[in-house]
Amino acid sequence: MTNKIAPLPIEALAPTISLAHVESCMRNPYPEALTFIGQQRAQSALDFSLGMDLPGYNTFVMGEAALGRFTMVKDKLEAHSKTKPTPNEWLYVNNYDDHRKPIALFMQPGQSKELADDMDEFLDEVADTFPAAFDNPGYQRKKKSIDKEFDNKYDAAITAVAELAAKKSVALIEESNQVAFAPVIDGKQLDDAEFAALDEKVQEHFFDAIDKLEDDLIEALIELPRWKRESSEKLRNLKKQTVETATKPLLKKLELKYASHIGVIRYLKDVRIEIVDAVLEWLDDSGSEENKDEFDHRGMLNDFFAPNILVEYKDGEAAPVVYEPNPTFGNIFGKVEYATSQGNLITSYRSIQPGALHKANGGYLIMDADKVLANSQVWDGLKLSLKTHQIKNDLPYQDSSVGSSFTLRPQLIPLDVKIILLGSRDLYYAISDYDEEFAELFRVLADFDYYLPSSDKLQYQFITKVLEYCDKTLNCGITACGLARLLKFSYRQAEHHTKLSARFADVLELVAEASFYAKQDNVTEVTAEHIDEAIAGKQYRTGQLSENMLSDIKEGHTLIETDGEAIAKINGLTVLHIGDTAFGTPARITATVYAGSDGVIDVEREADLGKSIHSKGVMLLTGYLGNKYAQNFSLTLSANIAIEQSYGYIDGDSASLAELCGLISAITQLPINQSLALTGSINQHGEVQAIGGVNEKIEGFFKLCKMRGLTGQQGVIIPQSNRVNLVLDDEVLQEVERGRFHIYAVSNVDEALSLLMNHDAGELVDGEYPEGSINALTLARLKQIADVVSGDNEKEETEQDKE
């Protein structure tokens, strides 16, 4: 005889929260600073990672969103960053030997800005000094001396030729920097008409004389190009000397200031050489005024000589903690910006922009793993940087876009950073399987649990954090009943009597929404009613689909019965997850059985609507029937099982208990009480196993029963192992307390059958089940079907006819 299963008492349907304990915690807030609640395993992993300075001890923070991953990681890193020295600053300066390869310099905190200011001051003085320095009397005197030396050589050559010409009655004439000869008769230079009137022999004489003089002139001025070159060289040297004289004390001052920094000294020595040519090219007074105004000479000096600071810090500042929300290649490794000039793309070392690795160098970089892995070039570049300890800076996507334009290959910067990736559990295992290098580079796993083990201490911390949030962020208070309601909400999120949800962000979100309703009531404290109102408000905003499904049942579009009896029809329970909400809804499960050898057919699988886990649950039914009933004959039957009016994909095995009960009803022709719905999975030995979403499933059937009217006979059957997961809504608890709705917990199939069919399941005694019991009827019917299929039944009937 199977014992009658009693409904669960109300104390078993939700955890008990001590209001006195809540009030005590409110009077005496937690004495220690609370940066985070729970997750000791993850905190220990992060502390270990931060304490390991060896390469490869980067961290993958594993867990779902809203578990507080980012908050805890950021708080831990910021606290630990204060114990680390301030990182070096990095800047790029021009490489005057090869402009394509800018030189990287590191400096102590605060020195980069100081160097940049010193260089700005130096360039301002250069721009102020030139070209005015070329108007200096000393410079002009030396310039005139050089010009006079050239003029003297030129005049001596011309004078010698002029003397030869005078002896031949020819005059040497200089006009517009040109030299010419003219015949002279009786001391008078002849013009063309007068020369034409001369005798031909006289003309011939002058022609010969002038030809000879022109040869003499060429011979005398043959050194003229060299004189000009020597004069220009002396003038250029004079200008260089002038520039060097003017800039040397300025640079000498900087060299003395940065004498201890070899990199800066090399840079200043290069500037000492290049500044001379730059001044002569851009600030020379020999250019026209129009050409001077065409360019921004100060800007050109700045672009050619000023350092490009990538990262800078203040002395004593904590190590950087950087979160990169959009980890593209350029945002992580930096990028080179380009400008357009006359249709061409141009750039310089001043256009190098820092990336997240530059900003986090010497500290910590936080990124979302899924975004990093979305681009293979980013992931490969990150691994290469971690392995080589240098920031990768070749930008393949930029190279392809700029074509043959001028590109840069900046000097690589050493990398010393701790990477923290935030990602889901599935993503972590996927990376581990497909990338062998992942385990070498990310050796520390910080695993965030979904639940927090409830204790007085944890509740104490929970209450203190909520009070702090209400006081500092929401500027309101909260009552003890409100806090107790929040604790129940957290238990409900965790679906457990002794565990709180790790999604503390959901709790804070609920408090914030409840404060909205408190303000509407013109009160300064959030109460339990406000929290219930916030929960109801969210359910209303997201509950259109669930209401439509209940409406379909009410109108008869979806066939579900909540009273009476029916053969081979049973109310199963399903839960739907849409967005961030979940709700339960009943579903009719039907079964048919007939003589045949097709076995148990899963209609959902045959229609490609049932996924693998659901199909597995249906397959277990055959194993159960064979193990329990067909020890002495071959299990042979044809049966169809379907979830009626279901047109979407179905997965999970939580309907296997209901499917089995419906199947046994079809076999025995015993009716099932339609006032009950059930959920649970089974194994081949008939043990009922735990399922998920038990609270939503119960409340889904409760809403339907309430809509049709509670009769006191309605209820839900759940697995015994799910008792600890019950955190039901107050409305359900009230109706259970009144005896108008019932929750039953079963541990095996027989208990569920007894409740559904109001009939003794029957226990096996001496190899037989009690006559008239459910199991006896099932065994007899299966034996009969087997005999029909095998033909044994026809033989017995023939023998009986002969007798």
Side-chain angles (χ1 to χ4, degrees), residues 3-112:
N3 294 327
K4 182 68 175 178
I5 305 297
L8 294 177
I10 189 172
E11 295 80 14
L13 304 183
T16 302
I17 300 172
S18 172
L19 197 59
H21 175 64
V22 173
E23 292 173 344
S24 174
C25 294
M26 293 179 66
R27 288 192 297 269
N28 304 289
Y30 197 77
E32 300 176 9
L34 291 173
T35 57
F36 201 80
I37 299 177
Q39 301 292 1
Q40 297 302 319
R41 187 192 308 274
Q43 293 197 54
S44 175
L46 277 172
D47 290 337
F48 173 75
S49 174
L50 297 178
M52 292 293 292
D53 292 330
L54 298 176
Y57 284 90
N58 300 294
T59 306
F60 189 99
V61 178
M62 183 172 71
E64 303 306 319
L67 294 179
R69 300 173 307 174
F70 181 79
T71 301
M72 190 182 84
V73 168
K74 192 168 184 293
D75 288 345
K76 284 278 185 184
L77 297 184
E78 288 180 347
H80 196 269
S81 66
K82 296 175 182 178
T83 65
K84 296 192 66 175
T86 307
N88 291 325
E89 299 178 329
W90 286 95
L91 61 153
Y92 276 111
V93 296
N94 204 349
N95 185 347
Y96 300 103
D97 294 329
D98 187 350
H99 296 303
R100 294 176 181 269
K101 298 179 180 180
I103 299 171
L105 295 180
F106 74 91
M107 302 192 75
Q108 296 299 316
Q111 288 187 343
S112 295

Side-chain angles (χ1 to χ4, degrees), residues 29 463-478 508 511 515 524 526:
I463 292 168
T464 300
K465 285 293 288 183
V466 172
L467 290 174
E468 288 179 359
Y469 181 73
C470 289
D471 180 49
K472 296 180 180 178
T473 304
L474 302 179
N475 296 319
C476 68
I478 184 169
L508 300 182
V511 177
S515 69
T524 58
V526 175

Side-chain angles (χ1 to χ4, degrees), residues 86-213:
T86 307
N88 291 325
E89 299 178 329
W90 286 95
L91 61 153
Y92 276 111
V93 296
N94 204 349
N95 185 347
Y96 300 103
D97 294 329
D98 187 350
H99 296 303
R100 294 176 181 269
K101 298 179 180 180
I103 299 171
L105 295 180
F106 74 91
M107 302 192 75
Q108 296 299 316
Q111 288 187 343
S112 295
K113 182 67 167 59
E114 191 174 351
L115 176 63
D117 292 342
D118 289 340
M119 287 303 298
D120 280 343
E121 183 179 351
F122 166 72
L123 295 176
D124 285 339
E125 291 181 351
V126 170
D128 292 341
T129 302
F130 297 97
F134 295 129
D135 295 331
N136 183 278
Y139 170 84
Q140 290 295 330
R141 185 172 60 255
K142 293 179 181 179
K143 182 176 181 297
K144 288 179 181 179
S145 175
I146 295 172
D147 293 339
K148 184 176 181 181
E149 182 180 356
F150 171 80
D151 291 342
N152 289 339
K153 291 181 179 180
Y154 178 81
D155 291 343
I158 292 297
T159 300
V161 175
E163 291 175 354
L164 290 175
K167 292 179 181 179
K168 297 180 179 182
S169 299
V170 176
L172 186 146
I173 304 170
E174 286 187 83
E175 293 181 357
S176 303
N177 294 325
Q178 292 185 353
V179 178
F181 295 96
V184 176
I185 295 180
D186 297 332
K188 179 184 178 183
Q189 295 183 10
L190 303 180
D191 56 22
D192 291 342
E194 292 172 337
F195 181 77
L198 295 176
D199 184 72
E200 290 184 1
K201 289 184 178 180
V202 176
Q203 290 180 3
E204 187 68 26
H205 168 73
F206 278 113
F207 281 137
D208 292 340
I210 290 173
D211 287 342
K212 184 65 171 63
L213 288 172

Side-chain angles (χ1 to χ4, degrees), residues 558-802:
T558 302
L559 301 179
I560 298 289
E561 298 296 336
T562 55
D563 58 9
E565 294 181 334
I567 295 174
K569 297 177 183 178
I570 190 167
N571 294 326
L573 295 174
T574 63
V575 63
L576 299 180
H577 295 272
I578 299 176
D580 60 347
T581 62
F583 61 90
T585 181
R588 171 174 284 183
I589 299 174
T590 61
T592 57
V593 175
Y594 50 92
S597 58
D598 295 332
V600 179
I601 296 175
D602 178 13
V603 174
E604 312 302 326
R605 181 182 64 182
E606 297 299 321
D608 290 331
L609 291 177
K611 294 190 177 181
S612 56
I613 298 179
H614 177 263
S615 298
K616 174 188 175 184
V618 176
M619 292 176 185
L620 289 175
L621 304 187
T622 304
Y624 172 79
L625 293 175
N627 177 65
K628 185 153 187 171
Y629 303 112
Q631 294 294 328
N632 299 316
F633 60 90
S634 176
L635 179 63
T636 307
L637 82 162
S638 291
N640 287 339
I641 295 177
I643 299 178
E644 302 293 352
Q645 294 181 285
S646 172
Y647 309 108
Y649 288 108
I650 296 174
D651 201 11
D653 61 351
S654 63
S656 58
L657 174 60
E659 290 167 339
L660 177 59
C661 293
L663 180 60
I664 291 179
S665 175
I667 293 172
T668 62
Q669 293 298 296
L670 292 174
I672 292 176
N673 185 357
Q674 300 298 295
S675 298
L676 297 177
L678 77 163
T679 181
S681 69
I682 63 166
N683 59 28
Q684 295 184 92
H685 296 281
E687 297 171 316
V688 179
Q689 303 167 142
I691 46 82
V694 64
N695 295 296
E696 289 81 3
K697 291 176 179 179
I698 293 173
E699 291 169 0
F701 189 67
F702 172 80
K703 288 179 181 178
L704 174 60
C705 294
K706 179 186 175 185
M707 181 181 68
R708 288 181 169 176
L710 295 172
T711 64
Q713 303 300 316
Q714 296 144 335
V716 173
I717 300 172
I718 65 169
Q720 183 74 239
S721 51
N722 275 122
R723 287 185 59 173
V724 73
N725 304 117
L726 293 175
V727 189
L728 293 173
D729 187 71
D730 288 344
E731 186 179 13
V732 180
L733 298 181
Q734 291 170 4
E735 297 301 335
V736 169
E737 190 173 20
R738 294 172 184 170
R740 301 176 64 192
F741 196 77
H742 310 284
I743 312 295
Y744 301 93
V746 298
S747 57
N748 56 61
V749 174
D750 286 349
E751 292 177 350
L753 290 172
S754 298
L755 283 168
L756 289 168
M757 299 178 181
N758 197 24
H759 206 82
D760 183 23
E763 297 181 2
L764 189 65
V765 178
D766 297 332
E768 293 184 357
Y769 291 105
E771 185 177 354
S773 66
I774 297 174
N775 288 329
L777 294 173
T778 305
L779 178 59
R781 177 59 176 154
L782 289 175
K783 179 68 169 61
Q784 181 186 6
I785 294 174
D787 291 344
V788 170
V789 174
S790 64
D792 291 343
N793 192 43
E794 294 180 359
K795 292 179 181 179
E796 291 179 2
E797 291 178 355
T798 301
E799 290 176 357
Q800 291 175 359
D801 291 342
K802 289 180 180 180

Side-chain angles (χ1 to χ4, degrees), residues 282 294 306 454 519:
W282 297 328
E294 186 176 351
S454 179
K519 290 177 182 177

